[in-house]
């Protein structure tokens, strides 16, 4: 079936929760996708920061194929070797001592919210339940994570929201200090806001946040669903800020495209999750955790973090050159590693559409911020190809 036939059928049968572009990808390799008509696309969205190793990385594909032939699923009532291996890898790479697995970023944040509340009520009483999050944050689409998210467009239509969330301006330590009350139990933040438009805080902000949390016995939760797993040139984005959280959530890129979420924490907190207090049927099943183990090993074996730093600098330099070339169209270029935002003076929707028609996949967050989250394996050749395309598009405006 060709692309237009699939699009017509999709409109008939798939709910329109996404405004879908007229693209039907059927095959992927590295930084490229091919559609149902055989046309090739350079992918600078990578499934929204999911395909960090590119499409169908041979090690991830092989791990999935092997595990699919051995054991796809079994219950979390039993011990799952690949899940245990993954938990060990994540704990060795981070501040955490224990992991909980689920199937998405929203679920990872749900788990973090539940753990923070349970720990706090046991330690300080039932009135300690409020979680402070940031304006322009994004934490997911479930009711609790919608309530946590600091964006009206995500929340409207779904009242009443879950009680117990308070939103403060991001990158403002004084606002955090002032928001803390007797009910506050935790602070949940993205190290860099992704959906919020690639918002990078000042270097000192998170050190101040950590200090405030310590002074007030608050749990610090980092939502690294989008920025974790090497995206910024470090395995976890908070490593740039020289502090650690008490809980961290991961999802998007963790299993190279297989659906997974993880909530990892220190032992002090993890002890609150006793048998029966939380769970997930599919969470951390053999298939997805085999893919995640292969993904992390590939990041380590293939020097992906150094490469990301190098390519991030290269892409940033090229985008800054575009900024100089088109000063009236581009207002700001910002980011860390291969998590880069270009703030436009105009809405970016048409640029994304034109790019698509030219075989280039871009993304726009918050209407005016072009968000560049290519596969971390991207090379100079692909960056040059993207920049050449974008330059022509901007020049024609
Ligand atoms: C994508 C995202 C989520 C939600 O993840 P899902 O897998 O879509 O539920 C949560 N937090 C952040 C920071 C994200 O970027």
């Amino acid at each position: 079936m060709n692309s237009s036939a699939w699009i017509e059928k999709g409109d008939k049968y798939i709910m329109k929760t996404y405004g879908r572009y007229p693209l039907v990808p059927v095959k992927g390799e590295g930084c490229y996708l091919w559609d149902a008509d055989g046309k090739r696309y350079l992918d600078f969205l990578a499934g929204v920061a999911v395909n960090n190793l590119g499409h169908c990385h041979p090690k991830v594909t092989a791990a999935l194929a092997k595990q699919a032939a051995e054991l796809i699923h079994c219950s979390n009532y039993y011990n799952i070797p690949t899940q245990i291996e993954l938990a060990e890898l994540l704990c060795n790479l981070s501040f955490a001592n224990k992991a909980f697995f689920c199937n998405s970023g929203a679920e990872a944040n749900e788990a973090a919210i539940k753990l923070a509340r349970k720990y706090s009520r046991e330690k300080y009483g039932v009135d300690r339940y409020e979680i402070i999050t940031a304006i322009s944050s994004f934490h997911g689409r479930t009711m609790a994570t919608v309530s946590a998210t600091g964006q009206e467009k995500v929340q409207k239509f779904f009242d009443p929201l879950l009680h117990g969330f308070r939103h403060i301006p991001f990158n403002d330590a004084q606002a955090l200090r002032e928001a803390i009350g007797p009910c506050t139990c935790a602070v949940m933040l993205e190290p860099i806001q992704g959906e919020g438009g690639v918002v990078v805080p000042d270097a000192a902000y998170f050190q101040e946040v950590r200090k405030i949390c310590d002074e007030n016995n608050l749990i610090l939760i980092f939502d690294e669903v989008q920025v974790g797993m090497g995206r910024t040139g470090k395995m976890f984005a908070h490593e740039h800020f020289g502090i650690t959280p008490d809980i961290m959530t991961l999802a998007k890129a963790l299993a190279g495209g297989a659906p997974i979420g993880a909530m990892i924490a220190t032992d002090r907190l993890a002890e609150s999750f006793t048998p029966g207090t939380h769970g997930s049927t599919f969470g951390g099943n053999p298939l997805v955790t085999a893919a995640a183990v292969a993904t992390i090993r590939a990041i380590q074996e293939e020097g992906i973090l150094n490469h990301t730093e190098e390519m991030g600098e290269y892409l940033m330099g090229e985008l800054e050159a575009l900024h100089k070339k088109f000063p009236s169209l581009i207002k700001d270029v910002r980011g860390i590693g291969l998590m880069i935002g270009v703030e436009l003076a105009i809405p970016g929707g048409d640029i994304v559409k034109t790019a698509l028609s030219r075989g280039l996949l871009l993304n726009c967050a918050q209407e005016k911020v072009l968000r560049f989250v290519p596969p971390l394996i991207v090379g100079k050749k692909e960056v040059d190809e993207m920049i050449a395309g974008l330059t022509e598009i901007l020049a024609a405006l």
Side-chain angles (χ1 to χ4, degrees):
M1 227 155 79
N2 68 15
S3 292
S4 57
W6 278 119
I7 290 164
E8 197 178 310
K9 207 193 268 272
D11 282 344
K12 188 167 171 209
Y13 289 110
I14 304 293
M15 290 197 196
K16 297 188 168 83
T17 53
Y18 284 79
R20 286 186 292 274
Y21 291 97
L23 169 63
V24 185
V26 294
K27 182 180 146 59
E29 192 187 316
C31 296
Y32 291 93
L33 282 173
W34 284 263
D35 73 9
D37 305 325
K39 182 175 167 183
R40 192 177 85 150
Y41 296 81
L42 175 59
D43 187 1
F44 264 66
L45 179 57
V48 194
V50 166
N51 303 107
N52 281 11
L53 294 175
H55 293 283
C56 299
H57 187 286
K59 288 177 185 165
V60 178
T61 299
L64 279 166
K66 179 171 177 285
Q67 191 61 47
E70 284 171 8
L71 180 68
I72 293 176
H73 178 80
C74 70
S75 169
N76 277 309
Y77 285 121
Y78 311 123
N79 297 283
I80 300 172
T82 47
Q83 182 186 112
I84 296 165
E85 260 186 291
L86 175 58
E88 184 185 29
L89 277 170
L90 290 174
C91 291
N92 286 342
L93 284 166
S94 73
F95 66 93
N97 307 111
K98 286 203 170 51
F100 167 82
F101 294 106
C102 47
N103 314 289
S104 66
E107 278 177 81
N109 289 331
E110 288 273 344
I113 291 164
K114 285 178 75 175
L115 181 60
R117 282 193 173 182
K118 185 161 186 294
Y119 172 86
S120 300
R121 92 160 21 217
E122 284 164 355
K123 182 137 193 200
Y124 303 105
V126 292
D127 292 334
R128 280 276 279 239
Y129 58 83
E130 192 178 73
I131 298 176
I132 295 174
T133 67
I135 294 167
S136 296
S137 60
F138 183 78
H139 298 296
R141 298 286 191 167
T142 61
M143 279 310 304
T145 57
V146 158
S147 307
T149 291
Q151 294 189 59
E152 206 207 292
K153 71 171 191 211
V154 174
Q155 300 181 327
K156 70 175 176 192
F157 311 122
F158 301 110
D159 291 326
L161 298 177
L162 203 71
H163 177 62
F165 292 93
R166 182 189 290 258
H167 303 103
I168 55 159
F170 188 56
N171 197 24
D172 182 343
Q174 189 52 30
L176 172 59
R177 246 181 242 287
E178 286 163 14
I180 295 166
C183 298
T184 312
C185 79
V187 177
M188 178 155 88
L189 296 166
E190 296 160 84
I192 300 168
Q193 290 187 335
E195 303 304 309
V198 190
V199 184
V200 186
D202 299 334
Y205 174 60
F206 279 114
Q207 296 193 359
E208 200 58 25
V209 168
R210 178 73 265 181
K211 207 169 122 217
I212 295 168
C213 288
D214 290 342
E215 285 165 6
N216 293 278
N217 291 317
L218 302 179
I219 297 161
L220 179 57
I221 305 167
F222 275 157
D223 177 346
E224 293 229 12
V225 167
Q226 185 159 155
V227 293
M229 310 318 298
R231 172 59 51 195
T232 65
K234 302 220 185 269
M235 191 61 90
F236 307 115
H238 68 261
E239 293 170 37
H240 291 283
F241 305 121
I243 49 123
T244 56
D246 306 297
I247 298 177
M248 174 167 67
T249 56
L250 298 166
K252 289 190 165 85
L254 177 54
I260 191 171
M263 186 274 289
I264 66 177
T266 58
D267 266 333
R268 177 173 69 95
L269 289 158
E271 271 167 25
S272 279
F273 266 180
T274 48
T277 51
H278 195 47
S280 167
T281 299
F282 286 123
N285 94 356
L287 190 69
V288 296
T289 48
V293 168
T295 299
I296 294 178
R297 296 225 171 102
I299 292 172
Q300 294 172 324
E301 287 160 8
E302 295 175 16
I304 298 290
L305 299 181
N306 285 339
H307 180 75
T308 301
E309 195 184 335
E310 217 172 278
M311 293 313 301
E313 275 167 25
Y314 183 67
L315 174 56
M316 182 72 93
E318 294 296 304
L319 290 170
E320 269 161 3
L322 270 192
H323 187 186
K324 289 214 178 74
K325 209 173 198 164
F326 301 102
S328 61
L329 282 173
I330 296 177
K331 282 171 69 178
D332 189 28
V333 180
R334 56 188 181 242
I336 307 182
L338 284 169
M339 171 94 191
I340 301 181
V342 170
E343 188 170 336
L344 301 166
I346 54 162
D350 284 344
I351 294 175
V352 173
K353 275 188 207 148
T354 310
L356 175 72
S357 71
R358 302 176 48 126
L360 172 60
L361 304 186
L362 298 180
N363 172 259
C364 188
Q366 301 294 322
E367 281 174 26
K368 285 186 176 175
V369 182
L370 293 177
R371 174 174 44 172
F372 298 87
V373 283
L376 307 184
I377 57 161
V378 74
K380 283 191 175 164
K381 183 179 143 288
E382 288 86 19
V383 171
D384 292 346
E385 185 183 333
M386 186 280 290
I387 292 287
L390 183 59
T391 305
E392 284 182 30
I393 294 168
L394 292 177
L397 286 176

